[in-house]
Amino acid sequence: MSPLEHASREEIDAYQNTALEPLLAYLQANSPFYQRRFAALDFEVADIRTVADLARLPTTSKQDLQEHNWDFLCVPRREVAEYCSTSGTLGRPVTIALTAADLARLHYNEYLSFACADGRPDDLYQLMLTLDRQFMAGVAYYGGIRQTGASVIRMGPGNLAAQLDTIRQLEPTVLVAVPSFAVALVAHARTTGFDLNTSSVRRIVCIGESIRDEQLQPNALARRITDGWNVRLYSTYASTEKQTAFTECGHGRGGHHQPELLIFEIVDEQGQPLPAGQLGELTITTLGVAGMPLLRYRTGDICTYDDAPCACGRTTRRLGPIVGRQQQLLKYKGTSIYPQAVFNVLHTVPEVMAYVVEASSSDLETDELEISVALPAGADEAAVLARLRAALRAGLRVLPALWVQPLLDILARQQAGDPRKPARFIDRRRTRPPF
Ligand SMILES: [Zn+2]
């Protein structure tokens, strides 16, 4: 446990203010990208003394990182221990180089995260995710779990039958999985007559997809896992650039911030910080990163934060669910929609086995939206589509084009981009909102 998890707001602020000066000095000395940024300021970067002062500095965009990737590296190449990369879901992938100390920091972050998600040394974790392909999260989870003293089974993604066999044979207590894969696991268990309630699994740490609505209640995806299975879900949220996760405790009231490792702001379109409860873009400043530290990096993720102490006893701020990504905002028939809102509606209809939401540009440069769904063999297609249309109208106030397609076609389209992360949203628009 980090002492800052139970510190007062004043102590946390004091810690972060103290951490800022060495970070800025480090960037000034070692980062070609930030050296140029600082040189263009009309004041001295040393004038930035507190987290509140950060708002005077310009933000860093994903585009900056894409275009000047190696100018962010602060150490000689021989000091790099591992090269990870972003998924490239939103444009060109970015390489993040980590030193040995950065890897240790990553493991410490996940050690705190899994401990926060009620992890114990006697747990056995089954990892249902990629541990190669330059995927940072895989090694982060692995190292963090080992640091808690618990045991690990590295199963990799996919292969439902083998995952269930391993649950039977090795009796893991916790799964780490993408929630939609857990839904598929539940369905596979049901068809093979395996009652998951008799299994050893008590908890699932859910990665990559949101399991809560904006009121932090379990969303339809979460309910599809827990309907009929007495298992507890914990959400964790991270990204390669952040090198830091926000993970829920057992009270499920947002992902806990780890103030030792990261400064975060929720900012408006001009990059100015917003107070607790207001929706804005998550902007992060890494602490303790040697390889590629980031200063006021705009993640593109839209969310709120909660400042109130948590029932678990931690005093750290908590991040609400990501309601969408700035760059994925759609303007459809006069309504602003994030793809996540469409996913949330699709998850409420149990017959939807898989789906793809696709955006394109019309001849008039407006956004077009199409949804393709796969339904089970023998389903009453007309009746399901009627329910889906009603749910979409109620949830989105507009009705995108809706098609039924064979399951294998939809799965192939989901896998067409980065195989580490099946894409449920395909963006073919010619112009997108800026970062
Ligand atoms: Zn808590």
Side-chain angles (χ1 to χ4, degrees), residues 252-424:
R253 304 302 299 166
H256 276 281
H257 172 218
Q258 294 177 6
E260 228 179 309
L261 303 176
L262 196 82
I263 293 168
F264 84 83
E265 305 162 85
I266 301 293
V267 304
D268 63 17
E269 285 179 11
Q270 285 71 44
Q272 291 307 300
L274 294 166
Q278 282 200 30
L279 212 52
E281 183 175 359
L282 176 69
T283 299
I284 59 102
T285 296
T286 53
L287 296 177
V289 171
M292 286 188 171
L294 293 174
L295 179 65
R296 299 203 83 209
Y297 176 74
R298 296 182 82 128
T299 63
D301 291 338
I302 306 296
C303 61
T304 60
Y305 76 90
D306 187 344
D307 215 4
C310 184
C312 71
R314 288 179 182 80
T315 49
T316 46
R317 288 176 172 154
R318 284 159 289 126
L319 219 57
I322 305 302
V323 301
R325 284 191 164 167
Q326 182 73 24
Q327 214 196 359
Q328 293 180 336
L329 182 66
L330 303 160
K331 294 274 187 190
Y332 183 65
K333 293 182 181 170
T335 301
S336 296
I337 306 170
Y338 286 110
Q340 183 64 45
V342 184
F343 304 164
N344 289 346
V345 173
L346 295 174
H347 293 152
T348 62
V349 177
E351 289 88 348
V352 175
M353 298 167 73
Y355 59 85
V356 166
V357 177
E358 192 168 342
S360 57
S361 300
S362 73
D363 293 342
L364 300 170
E365 292 299 326
T366 57
D367 293 349
E368 294 289 329
L369 197 54
E370 265 186 37
I371 303 169
S372 305
V373 297
L375 303 180
D380 182 344
E381 203 171 288
V384 176
L385 285 180
R387 264 192 291 133
L388 253 176
R389 287 196 182 96
L392 288 164
R393 269 198 206 94
L396 307 176
R397 286 171 289 143
V398 286
L399 181 61
L402 186 61
W403 312 99
V404 176
Q405 284 196 337
L407 178 62
L408 288 178
D409 289 2
I410 291 197
L411 294 180
R413 287 170 70 193
Q414 288 183 345
Q415 298 289 344
D418 182 345
R420 302 183 312 194
K421 281 187 188 171
R424 295 167 301 156

